[in-house]
Amino acid sequence: MSMTMIEAINCVVETVREFPMSGTTRPSQQTPADTTSIYARAEDFIGRENMQVQSQGWPENTEPCRRFSPGTNRIALPSNVLRSRASGPDAHRTLVMREEVIGGVGVRSVYDANLRTFAMGTSDVFLDAVVLLDFEDLPRPLQGVIVQAAMMKFQRRHENSQLSDQQLLMEYMQAEAIADRNRVKDDAMSFNLRPMVPQSQQPQQGQ
């Protein structure tokens, strides 16, 4: 089962010997929103690490070869896209994510670095897209990486104990070791690598 945000918050505050929070509503969703307690600060740390860790791109939040269609000669990327690169038929292009100001408003758009333009014409573009998912929708191993990173940084900001930092770093490394990562496809290999018919072995001299 995945971890709830409350469970994650309690893991983080444990690093500075705080008791678990009461209730089942995360600080940011309370009425009025809790923005000052140690639990609210722990939620902020988890939120930042959630964004940072997910932006690396994992099997769970990477959408390979996703089609994006231009609108008025531009491709504006959804707000949940953290990272992208050209793929599929566009893999040879250098398509990056940049902010373009349109009518005084900043819009994150696809930018062709080779041609130095935001203009995409009318053709669809294919990108590998890394998207931001809600923390509670992630599998437990990836949640573990996020929470362990938050625990380590939270302890550093509040107590900065060198002994605790070493212990939390080891726990973080263990969480990293079991998390799944994207793999290179085994079929990315040339055709016709071996003879269809096994070659007969040449007799050795003197036999």
Side-chain angles (χ1 to χ4, degrees), residues 165-179:
D165 188 63
Q166 293 174 12
Q167 293 169 340
L168 290 169
L169 177 59
M170 290 298 297
E171 293 175 8
Y172 172 76
M173 293 170 62
Q174 290 170 352
E176 277 263 2
I178 66 171

Side-chain angles (χ1 to χ4, degrees), residues 58-130:
W58 304 78
E60 295 83 1
N61 73 328
T62 302
E63 300 178 357
C65 209
R66 176 172 164 181
R67 182 195 300 264
F68 291 86
S69 300
T72 62
N73 203 32
R74 297 288 195 273
I75 295 180
L77 292 170
S79 60
N80 69 333
V81 174
L82 300 174
R83 185 175 179 179
S84 66
R85 68 178 178 189
S87 65
D90 293 304
H92 65 285
R93 305 170 67 182
T94 306
L95 302 177
V96 298
M97 190 164 44
R98 279 179 56 170
E99 184 169 289
E100 179 182 20
V101 178
I102 302 176
V105 179
V107 179
R108 290 193 315 157
S109 303
V110 176
Y111 180 78
D112 191 324
N114 297 120
L115 300 179
R116 299 181 178 84
T117 180
F118 287 101
M120 293 291 128
T122 59
S123 300
D124 292 343
V125 168
F126 292 85
L127 304 172
D128 291 336
V130 174

